[in-house]
Amino acid sequence: MRQIVFSATIVGILGTLPLYAQDNDTNTRAAQATAPETGEISPEGEARPQERDITAMADGGEWVEEYVSEDGEELYQTLCSGCHMADGSGAIGAGKYPALSGNPNLEYAGYATYVIINGQAAMPSLGHFLDDQQVLAITDYIQTNLGNDYEADGTLDAVTDARPAEPVDQNTEEHE
């Protein structure tokens, strides 16, 4: 009986350590944050100057232009290459990501346009944050690059037509 009580006490104490460690790390980091211009310790919870600058840039400053690109290669490398690889060779690992290089499904833009906008299997839909021109740019890029020499035959009208009348809610259980 004494061994059970002792074991339960140890498990209870060990269970609270991660919570204490997280809280302690936060306080330690805040206390160690120094302002470069003065060398003084920043008050707890106050962002360091470089963090404020980065946040300002991300919240509508200098980075906005990088995320509104209409360059097909840049969009592909940013959004698609993580799964399909930079050269379009595809990958197998945590999932199966088909090769885009030499893929006969890409001969006509309709297939790629539909999948980019609406997603398919493990491919998430990207249509909720890409405009028609960006979808067309990616489609044109994957049809004419990555070892493909298909004719880029997509149009803005075809992209508009591929969008669902009622956009898919990305926050539903079927998309998690």
Side-chain angles (χ1 to χ4, degrees):
M1 179 71 174
R2 197 163 54 170
Q3 186 177 9
I4 292 173
V5 171
F6 181 71
S7 296
T9 303
I10 296 297
V11 168
I13 291 170
L14 292 176
T16 62
L17 286 178
L19 297 174
Y20 175 74
Q22 289 175 355
D23 186 47
N24 193 27
D25 285 348
T26 302
N27 293 336
T28 302
R29 273 182 285 171
Q32 291 173 345
T34 59
E37 60 276 353
T38 63
E40 295 177 15
I41 295 176
S42 300
E44 183 176 331
E46 185 178 321
R48 290 176 272 179
Q50 66 270 26
E51 292 170 341
R52 283 193 300 270
D53 294 344
I54 290 170
T55 300
M57 288 167 48
D59 285 345
E62 301 162 27
W63 288 353
V64 173
E65 289 301 315
E66 292 178 5
Y67 294 104
V68 296
S69 174
E70 292 184 358
D71 178 76
E73 181 177 14
E74 183 178 338
L75 289 165
Y76 176 83
Q77 295 302 331
T78 301
L79 300 171
C80 312
S81 67
C83 296
H84 295 285
M85 302 298 110
D87 63 355
S89 62
I92 296 177
K96 183 175 187 226
Y97 307 100
L100 300 179
S101 178
N103 188 328
N105 290 329
L106 300 177
E107 182 175 356
Y108 300 103
Y111 174 79
T113 300
Y114 179 85
V115 173
I116 291 167
I117 291 172
N118 300 294
Q120 178 177 330
M123 165 79 182
S125 64
L126 302 176
H128 60 284
F129 69 89
L130 291 176
D131 66 27
D132 291 354
Q133 184 59 46
Q134 291 171 315
V135 172
L136 183 60
I138 294 172
T139 303
D140 287 352
Y141 177 75
I142 61 177
Q143 281 190 292
T144 59
N145 291 281
L146 307 175
N148 297 320
D149 60 356
Y150 303 121
E151 181 179 333
D153 63 345
T155 65
L156 286 173
D157 288 338
V159 174
T160 302
D161 291 344
R163 291 190 183 276
E166 293 184 29
V168 176
D169 182 0
Q170 297 295 309
N171 297 316
T172 60
E173 190 172 306
E174 67 188 58
H175 290 283
E176 293 180 357

